[in-house]
Amino acid sequence: MNYRLAPSILSADFARLGEEVRDVIAAGADVIHFDVMDNHYVPNLTFGPMICEAVRPHAKTAAGGKIPIDVHLMVKPVDRIAPDFAKAGADIISFHPEASDHVDRTLGLIRDAGCKAGLVFNPATPLSYLDYVMDKVDLILIMSVNPGFGGQKFIPGALQKLREAKARIEQSGRDIWLEVDGGVKADNIADVARAGADTFVAGSAIFGQGNYGDAIKTMRAELAKVSA
Ligand code: DX5
Ligand code: ZN
């Protein structure tokens, strides 16, 4: 299994964002998770397309390989702002279906802008939003906390939801990423992987540690137990 670790820069030092992004990539990050909050859909406010554009040149490996920027939109409405993130260098843009009046149209807007499109499911949001759009989705993001803040505790019900999302992906036969976000740490990442996740957002569990390399190595060692 090709697992991807996606550190959330929500927990990074914003005064040194470029350096933080470079450091966490040097430490082994596969994807940069970019949490956009609007103080409307969620009760917090973070950063927008201008910061995404500023981060883009830093999201590469030492050899110059591109590291995807995974934009998680916690904003309402979605359609006005989503294409701005594509222009700002996002590779994946995901949104919460409740925040869009026309989910199918929003997925199309994101893909037409050249990005992969994702749907995000809050703990109480049913997966039935996927019923008629599976062919338009490149990523499913299961929230294992209520969105808005880093450092919250993992909600165990997310495991069953991951299993159900995984079954839907297998049934579709499509290459859809299954991402999990919220409270993921070295001590639960193996269980989360067993439930079907392949892409793991971790904010405080990486940026809250002194040594990002050690934090990522410990998570990979846990994931290796799953594949073994
Ligand atoms: C929460 C965000 C998460 C957050 C995760 O609304 O979507 O991406 O950064 O933080 P941790 O890993 O600390 O739970
Ligand atoms: Zn997120």
Side-chain angles (χ1 to χ4, degrees):
M1 187 66 184
N2 184 20
Y3 294 122
R4 288 169 287 256
L5 291 178
S8 163
I9 57 170
L10 182 64
S11 292
D13 178 353
F14 292 168
R16 299 185 298 108
L17 204 46
E19 190 184 337
E20 289 274 73
V21 168
R22 291 197 306 276
D23 285 355
V24 87
I25 290 169
D30 302 297
V31 171
I32 294 296
H33 187 77
F34 192 96
D35 285 306
V36 182
M37 304 185 186
D38 68 347
N39 185 38
H40 172 67
Y41 180 65
V42 289
N44 201 356
L45 186 63
T46 57
F47 30 59
M50 289 192 291
I51 307 291
C52 184
E53 196 176 350
V55 162
R56 180 65 265 173
H58 300 278
K60 55 176 198 251
T61 63
K66 195 180 181 197
I67 294 284
I69 297 182
D70 168 32
V71 171
H72 173 193
L73 293 179
M74 288 161 272
V75 305
K76 187 180 180 173
V78 185
D79 291 5
R80 223 300 297 142
I81 198 94
D84 291 1
F85 283 94
K87 281 186 214 114
D91 299 282
I92 305 159
I93 300 176
S94 59
F95 64 98
H96 291 250
E98 306 94 325
S100 170
D101 289 331
H102 304 280
V103 172
D104 181 279
R105 174 185 289 152
T106 307
L107 290 167
L109 269 179
I110 293 170
R111 279 191 167 179
D112 288 349
C115 293
K116 291 187 172 184
L119 278 186
V120 192
F121 295 86
N122 284 336
T125 304
L127 292 178
S128 55
Y129 275 105
L130 291 166
D131 284 354
Y132 302 103
V133 293
M134 213 48 187
D135 56 327
K136 291 169 180 156
V137 165
D138 302 296
L139 169 137
I140 296 170
L141 172 47
I142 303 296
M143 293 303 300
S144 35
V145 297
N146 286 292
F149 302 94
Q152 303 180 79
K153 205 169 152 346
F154 185 88
I155 297 172
L159 295 175
Q160 179 55 24
K161 208 174 200 176
L162 282 166
R163 287 189 277 269
E164 288 171 24
K166 177 73 178 176
R168 282 177 181 255
I169 291 170
E170 278 172 357
Q171 206 187 354
S172 79
R174 297 193 51 245
D175 178 20
I176 298 173
W177 291 16
L178 182 53
E179 187 173 41
V180 61
D181 186 3
V184 174
K185 316 236 172 275
D187 64 8
N188 62 12
I189 197 166
D191 286 339
V192 175
R194 280 187 201 100
D198 50 54
T199 306
F200 306 84
V201 177
S204 48
I206 294 176
F207 285 105
Q209 302 297 310
N211 187 319
Y212 304 161
D214 286 351
I216 288 176
K217 238 178 263 155
T218 309
M219 286 182 165
R220 285 210 200 278
E222 288 297 314
L223 289 171
K225 292 181 194 165
V226 180
S227 314

